[in-house]
Amino acid sequence: MDEPETTGLKARLVDVGVDLVAAEGAQALTLREIARRAGVSHGAPRRYFPTHLELLSAIARRGFEDLGVRVAGAAGDERSDPRARIAALARVHLDFALSRRGMYELMFRHDLLESGSLGLRETSLPLFAVLVDLVARVRPEADARIVAGALWANLHGIAQLWGWGSLGLATGTDDHAPLLDAALDAHLGPVQR
C-alpha cells in the first residue's frame, strides 16, 4: 500500500470516529464499529492504531485541536482585560462541552490523557496554561494554577450537570450563564466597576 493511501485511510478512520462520537457518544467508539463505518475490515484499524487507546487518542486530539482554535479566537487581544478574557474562554469551554458532549467526554478521559498517546498532554496542557496565565493577572496574590484548576473543575461540573439536566432542575433556571457568572465571581472575585 502506498503512503497516500495509508495516510488517507488513517485519517478516514479518525474522521469516522469523530463523526461517530458526535452522533452516538464516546461509548460507541469501538474498533469494529469504526472499521464498519469506514468500510474496511475490523482488523484494518490495527495497522494504523495498534491499540484502541491510540485510535481514541487520535480522535480526542481532533477535539482538542477544535477547542484550541475556539480558545484562540476567544482569547482576545493581549491588552484586553484578563477577567473579560477568562469569561470569554469559559463561555467557549461551556459551549463546546454542551454542543459536543461525546467529544468532550472523550477528551477528558484520564486514561487517554495519562497514556501520553499522540501527545494529548501536549495539546491539552497549553489550553490550561492560557487560563493559568490569565488567572495570574487577575489574582496575582493567589496560586494561579490552583485557582485556575478550581475554576476549570467548576466549568466541567457546570457542563456535566447542565448536560444531564440536573443543574437546571436544581436551580430552576433555563440558562447556564448566571451559573457561569457565579463561578467566575467565586474564583476571581466580583467584576470591578
Side-chain angles (χ1 to χ4, degrees), residues 93-156:
H93 189 91
L94 282 178
D95 177 61
F96 183 91
L98 294 171
S99 65
R100 306 212 40 215
R101 291 183 66 193
M103 179 61 82
Y104 186 77
E105 175 188 338
L106 178 67
M107 288 165 55
F108 292 101
R109 278 185 40 180
H110 184 265
D111 60 332
L112 295 183
L113 293 171
E114 188 62 26
S115 74
S117 291
L118 300 177
L120 281 185
R121 284 179 276 188
E122 292 77 17
T123 307
S124 63
L125 290 178
L127 295 175
F128 183 69
V130 170
L131 182 59
V132 171
D133 177 60
L134 291 170
V135 166
R137 294 179 196 188
V138 174
R139 301 258 329 265
E141 82 292 351
D143 182 334
R145 291 184 70 77
I146 298 299
V147 174
L151 175 57
W152 183 66
N154 205 168
L155 292 174
H156 279 272

